[in-house]
Amino acid sequence: MKSRRARRQVRTALLFLTPWLVGVVVLQAYPILMTVYYAFTNFDGISFPPHFVGFANFIQAFHYSAYFIPAVLNTLWWVGISVPVTTVVGLALALALNSSRRGMGTFRTLFFLPSMVPSVAAGILFAWVFNPVSGPVNAILGMVGVPGPDWFISPHWAKVGLLLLTIWQVGPTMIIFLSGLQAVPKDLIEAATLEGAGALRRFRSVVLPLLTPTVFFNLILGFIGAFSLFTQAVVVSGASGASAASSNASLGGPNNSMLFYAVDMYRVIFNQLEFGYGSALSLLLTLTIAVVAALLFATARKWVFYGGRSERA
């Protein structure tokens, strides 16, 4: 039987844990459970209780080819392009800034600052900067005789402009790579240098293998962020369409070129009030991310190294 002091310690611990427990239950556990429940109902956000419809919402998703299929294809394109590009750019910047030279801290700060700009503000800023009529980018291109593209009001250039916005905010990826580079033992690099290895060989044979845990971590974060891209696409498509005074202000941009999966979920839930169908889409996205993460963890055994040894036990 617990002593009075032990019971008092437990009560004190629970008292201090109460705000966290309430936050987990109210803000995380309850929304997750209700999303799973609504996914199998016809809930419209108003009528309650909703009626159970089984897997009808999941089947309906593949019948909405006008929106669901373009959203899936746009998202797959974005994942396949943005994740490798941001990973490579972040690593390249980290390599360039991995130096103890005087003033290097200032450059690191300057490269990281864009990532501190809120997503909404960054989207509005890029919609103005890349405005095909009055934006400074096309104005500069015109000065050198290069015709500027239509950027966010063109279905062929919309995702390219969005990719430039993502690269501009690559600061967190760069910082994570930079911390990984600074954890590489300098004596190994010096030993490779004494053996006559050049910069490329040192990077390929010494630095990159020891950096694979950092690469793996950034890939996980990159895939999660790419699959759930929402804010930048909505803000950019709305701001650029409104500035062009055209129908491009609709959700998803010109010809649904920026209709990503999360954007389609927003359209379904808040524009059409189909909370049940939207919850089903949310579950499908969660399962997709979980499968991709599981595949990454499975393949990590073959290429991720910790402390000079492979993940393979």
Side-chain angles (χ1 to χ4, degrees):
M1 188 173 182
K2 293 183 178 180
S3 64
R4 180 179 300 177
R5 180 179 179 182
R7 290 196 298 269
R8 185 168 62 251
Q9 289 176 342
V10 171
R11 287 195 299 268
T12 303
L14 290 175
L15 179 63
F16 281 100
L17 286 173
T18 297
W20 178 82
L21 291 173
V22 172
V24 169
V25 172
V26 175
L27 301 179
Q28 296 183 20
Y30 177 76
I32 291 174
L33 293 175
M34 294 308 295
T35 298
V36 175
Y37 168 63
Y38 290 145
F40 297 93
T41 68
N42 63 348
F43 187 47
D44 59 0
I46 301 175
S47 304
F48 200 87
H51 299 290
F52 182 78
V53 296
F55 289 92
N57 289 325
F58 297 92
I59 298 173
Q60 177 185 355
F62 297 93
H63 291 168
Y64 273 11
S65 58
Y67 294 101
F68 179 76
I69 300 301
V72 170
L73 294 178
N74 285 335
T75 303
L76 291 177
W77 184 98
W78 181 256
V79 170
I81 298 297
S82 67
V83 174
V85 168
T86 53
T87 301
V88 171
V89 172
L91 178 56
L93 288 175
L95 289 169
L97 297 174
N98 185 30
S99 173
S100 57
R101 295 178 182 177
R102 184 177 181 181
M104 192 58 65
T106 302
F107 286 101
R108 294 171 184 170
T109 303
L110 291 176
F111 278 100
F112 184 77
L113 277 178
S115 63
M116 299 181 66
V117 178
S119 299
V120 174
I124 296 175
L125 175 64
F126 262 63
W128 169 73
V129 170
F130 288 89
N131 188 296
V133 178
S134 57
V137 170
N138 277 12
I140 295 174
L141 291 176
M143 293 178 183
V144 296
V146 177
D150 288 334
W151 295 113
F152 295 117
I153 65 174
S154 167
H156 303 293
W157 286 93
K159 286 194 283 290
V160 176
L162 203 59
L163 182 62
L164 294 177
L165 169 57
T166 304
I167 294 174
W168 184 63
Q169 293 189 307
V170 78
T173 303
M174 176 198 70
I175 290 297
I176 294 173
F177 272 129
L178 188 60
S179 64
L181 287 171
Q182 294 182 348
V184 175
K186 290 183 172 55
D187 55 348
L188 294 179
I189 299 178
E190 293 173 357
T193 303
L194 292 176
E195 291 292 332
L200 183 60
R201 182 61 184 271
R202 291 197 301 269
F203 173 77
R204 186 180 61 184
S205 301
V206 179
V207 177
L208 189 57
L210 296 177
L211 200 63
T212 49
T214 310
V215 174
F216 176 70
F217 181 74
N218 272 329
L219 284 178
I220 292 291
L221 295 182
F223 276 112
I224 294 174
F227 272 113
S228 55
L229 178 70
F230 171 75
T231 305
Q232 294 92 331
V234 171
V235 173
V236 167
S237 61
S240 59
S243 63
S246 68
S247 60
N248 291 334
S250 62
L251 202 62
N255 295 340
N256 290 332
S257 59
M258 287 189 286
L259 182 68
F260 298 102
Y261 195 95
V263 178
D264 188 42
M265 281 197 301
Y266 177 87
R267 179 191 64 83
V268 167
I269 295 174
F270 295 102
N271 285 9
Q272 298 184 348
L273 296 181
E274 296 185 22
F275 282 72
Y277 176 46
S279 298
L281 293 180
S282 177
L283 281 186
L284 289 175
L285 178 61
T286 302
L287 291 175
T288 301
I289 295 175
V291 169
V292 172
L295 290 175
L296 281 175
F297 274 99
T299 60
R301 297 178 177 272
K302 298 181 179 180
W303 61 274
V304 177
F305 298 86
Y306 294 96
R309 63 180 179 84
S310 172
E311 168 70 9
R312 189 186 304 133

